[in-house]
Amino acid sequence: MPDIRILERRTLSEHHGKLESISVEKTQNGETQTIERVVFNRPPAATILLYDQERKTVILTKQFRLPVYLDNNQQLLEACAGLLDEGELPEHAIVREVEEETGYRISEIEKIAEGYSSPSSFTEYVHFFVGRYTPDMRIAQGGGLKEEGEYIDVLEYTAEEIRHKLRTNEIKDVKTILLLQHALLNNLI
């Protein structure tokens, strides 16, 4: 582990998280370097792939994401996801998010992984889940919270459609790719 000394920490923005410019002095193997990085401090998040093993289907969402729009004017197919409220357990957060975004009330979830979403610049730590759903678990339309600017399409795909979308690179969200590969490798769909 290198010896790290923080030289300067400047807040650039506090909109939807804290964006900081941080200068550090790093000494490793007798060599000292000064580096500056921009770090976006984000709360922990949770994501889940809803699957129906019997019907071999999954639920994905589609919504406007400004960075993706600016990069290529597209919308992403994504697994349901959201940020944890302060002090909230990931398991509680993801069940809440599923109901808000998809309209499904689920109870069976399994944690399959956790890790940093983009460790070179984000502090966001993501908890990955899979959860069973059936059509009769849908209690509302879903679509997200309008007061948060969410207008989410809820889409159901078969395992074969998912395989095709993965082969043709139609799914570009990394957390969703990870969850779908887990589902396919473990015969969940």
Side-chain angles (χ1 to χ4, degrees), residues 5 7 23-27 31-37:
R5 186 168 67 97
L7 302 174
S23 295
V24 298
E25 184 178 83
K26 179 178 84 161
T27 303
E31 185 178 324
T32 300
Q33 295 177 306
T34 301
I35 57 174
E36 186 172 323
R37 296 290 186 262

Side-chain angles (χ1 to χ4, degrees), residues 10-160:
R10 290 181 294 123
T11 299
L12 304 174
S13 174
E14 292 195 55
H15 188 69
H16 291 289
K18 186 185 220 181
L19 183 64
E20 294 181 285
S21 176
I22 303 174
S23 295
V24 298
E25 184 178 83
K26 179 178 84 161
T27 303
Q28 190 170 14
N29 300 327
E31 185 178 324
T32 300
Q33 295 177 306
T34 301
I35 57 174
E36 186 172 323
R37 296 290 186 262
V38 175
V39 176
F40 191 32
N41 295 285
R42 300 263 301 156
T47 185
I48 190 167
L49 180 67
L50 298 179
Y51 70 95
D52 183 331
Q53 195 167 28
E54 193 172 299
R55 294 184 316 122
K56 303 288 187 204
T57 57
V58 297
I59 298 291
L60 296 179
T61 64
K62 187 184 275 192
Q63 65 180 302
F64 174 76
R65 299 290 195 188
L66 181 58
V68 175
Y69 172 80
L70 293 173
D71 189 46
N72 62 23
N73 196 21
Q74 290 184 349
Q75 287 187 313
L76 292 180
L77 280 176
E78 298 179 66
C80 177
L83 300 176
L84 278 61
D85 291 335
E86 192 171 330
E88 187 176 31
L89 293 173
E91 295 81 359
H92 297 157
I94 201 59
V95 169
R96 171 182 47 79
E97 286 291 334
V98 165
E99 195 166 321
E100 287 174 8
E101 290 189 5
T102 70
Y104 285 88
R105 182 168 290 154
I106 61 168
S107 58
E108 288 183 49
I109 65 172
E110 176 189 354
K111 189 170 197 177
I112 62 160
E114 59 183 68
Y116 290 97
S117 62
S118 186
S120 65
S121 55
F122 290 90
T123 61
E124 182 178 71
Y125 194 77
V126 182
H127 301 266
F128 292 82
F129 295 90
V130 292
R132 293 178 183 267
Y133 83 96
T134 57
D136 62 323
M137 291 178 175
R138 193 161 195 188
I139 60 161
Q141 182 151 353
L145 299 176
K146 305 302 181 241
E147 61 270 18
E148 292 182 9
E150 295 178 328
Y151 296 90
I152 299 170
D153 294 327
V154 180
L155 306 162
E156 186 175 58
Y157 292 99
T158 66
E160 200 48 49

